[in-house]
Amino acid sequence: IVSISEKAFTNVADVLRIFLNGNQIEHLPVNVFHHLDNLYEIDLSYNSILYIEEATFTELPSLKRLSLQNNMLYTIQSRLFFYLPQLEVLNLLENNLSLIADDFIDENSHSIRIIDAHNNRLRNIPTSSILLRYPEWIDFGNNCLNFSSLEILSVLTDKILSRNITQLQENTIIKNRLDLSYNEIKIFVLDDPEMVTFFKVMVGLFDIDFSGNPLHCDCDMYNTSQIVKSDEYRSSLIDFDCYSPEILRFTPVAEVED
């Protein structure tokens, strides 16, 4: 299948699942899925989709799972998945994504559990993904993220705190997973008070996977090493290890001496 008619599903209003994976589809008509009120899952993986218009995934009140894995998407625009009130799993794995708009999803969603954007070319983490209320797993591994990508998010600290203050105070947070593995994080300098607070809040909410990043451990990392020595933070950082200099390779940052 290379193309889909706008009226392809007009006579199957009660359809629950649509599997169009493994074809050569390049474009989706804007209205192709409209009024499929019972549709639970759409699988469009392993196609050749380059771009999706904003209104494509609207009027789908029951959609829970959407896979766009292994297409050729280069950007996810504003509000593309904003109007999916029941969406739980969004798979964007293995595209050519270099940008995801900050408001690509509704940050107030109570349904989204999993966002997988592994193996793309992202240099930004969309703010709405960090502000979600009940995520279980957010995967931005194997992208092009660096320390600046994280610094930008520190402006969200107050908003994140306001949403989770009760659970943080009562220590009732169920930790979720944030995968930042195999990116381009070479430094992680915690000498700015705002960034320190942001880091502590994020570690309070997530188990963060740093494996495979080329962290360089020098004197600029001193404050960071002191902060992460605490068991409270250390247990939430997965493979937060030095990569250089060679003498410190694979040494946990928390174990680096003065």
Side-chain angles (χ1 to χ4, degrees):
I1 301 175
V2 176
S3 62
I4 310 173
S5 165
E6 186 175 292
K7 299 180 180 180
F9 306 108
T10 301
N11 298 318
V12 287
D14 293 329
V15 65
L16 298 178
R17 293 178 172 88
I18 293 176
F19 296 101
L20 290 167
N21 52 302
N23 287 289
Q24 298 177 23
I25 299 167
E26 296 181 0
H27 177 257
L28 298 172
V30 172
N31 298 316
V32 66
F33 301 120
H34 283 194
H35 306 300
L36 298 178
D37 291 349
N38 298 313
L39 188 60
Y40 173 93
E41 180 177 6
I42 301 175
D43 187 347
L44 290 161
S45 60
Y46 295 89
N47 277 285
S48 302
I49 302 169
L50 289 165
Y51 182 77
I52 301 174
E53 297 180 57
E54 180 182 336
T56 303
F57 297 112
T58 57
E59 300 183 42
L60 291 169
S62 302
L63 191 69
K64 293 181 180 294
R65 304 177 68 90
L66 174 58
S67 179
L68 291 160
Q69 177 180 346
N70 214 307
N71 275 275
M72 300 175 68
L73 293 166
Y74 58 90
T75 185
I76 298 295
Q77 64 173 303
S78 176
R79 294 177 174 257
L80 184 58
F81 309 116
F82 203 88
Y83 304 104
L84 297 173
Q86 299 299 319
L87 186 65
E88 295 180 358
V89 179
L90 176 59
N91 185 354
L92 301 171
L93 174 69
E94 296 175 338
N95 277 273
N96 293 318
L97 291 170
S98 59
L99 177 67
I100 297 180
D102 281 334
D103 59 347
F104 77 117
I105 54 172
D106 181 0
E107 66 185 45
N108 295 309
S109 169
H110 286 237
S111 63
I112 296 177
R113 301 289 183 266
I114 296 172
I115 297 175
D116 189 350
H118 197 95
N119 200 16
N120 281 283
R121 298 184 292 116
L122 292 169
R123 295 189 178 277
N124 76 303
I125 297 176
T127 57
S128 53
S129 64
I130 299 300
L131 291 169
L132 283 172
R133 294 179 179 274
Y134 305 107
E136 294 175 5
W137 178 37
I138 301 175
D139 191 343
F140 290 110
N142 203 13
N143 276 279
C144 302
L145 302 173
N146 56 32
F147 185 64
S148 295
S149 308
L150 304 177
E151 279 187 303
I152 293 170
L153 297 175
S154 64
V155 298
L156 301 174
T157 301
D158 289 344
K159 196 167 186 178
I160 296 170
L161 272 173
S162 68
R163 291 179 174 224
N164 298 281
I165 189 65
T166 301
Q167 296 96 317
L168 287 168
Q169 288 177 338
E170 298 176 357
N171 198 27
T172 57
I173 287 285
I174 298 175
K175 289 285 189 75
N176 301 307
R177 175 66 68 93
L178 175 60
D179 190 338
L180 299 177
S181 63
Y182 295 94
N183 274 282
E184 298 175 2
I185 303 171
K186 297 179 181 179
I187 62 169
F188 205 94
V189 179
L190 296 178
D191 55 8
D192 175 74
E194 186 175 278
M195 188 60 189
V196 171
T197 303
F198 172 70
F199 172 76
K200 290 181 177 180
V201 168
M202 290 299 291
V203 170
L205 297 173
F206 293 97
D207 289 326
I208 307 176
D209 188 349
F210 282 99
S211 58
N213 278 283
L215 275 173
H216 180 68
C217 294
D218 59 12
C219 56
D220 290 336
M221 289 276 283
Y222 175 75
N223 284 347
T224 304
S225 66
Q226 296 306 300
I227 291 169
V228 301
K229 285 182 189 299
S230 165
D231 290 341
E232 177 185 0
Y233 303 122
R234 190 170 180 175
S235 62
S236 295
L237 300 173
I238 301 164
D239 292 336
F240 192 52
D241 300 340
C242 303
Y243 185 77
S244 64
E246 189 170 351
I247 194 172
L248 293 176
R249 185 162 295 176
F250 305 129
T251 301
V253 172
E255 295 178 10
V256 175
E257 299 300 329
D258 299 358

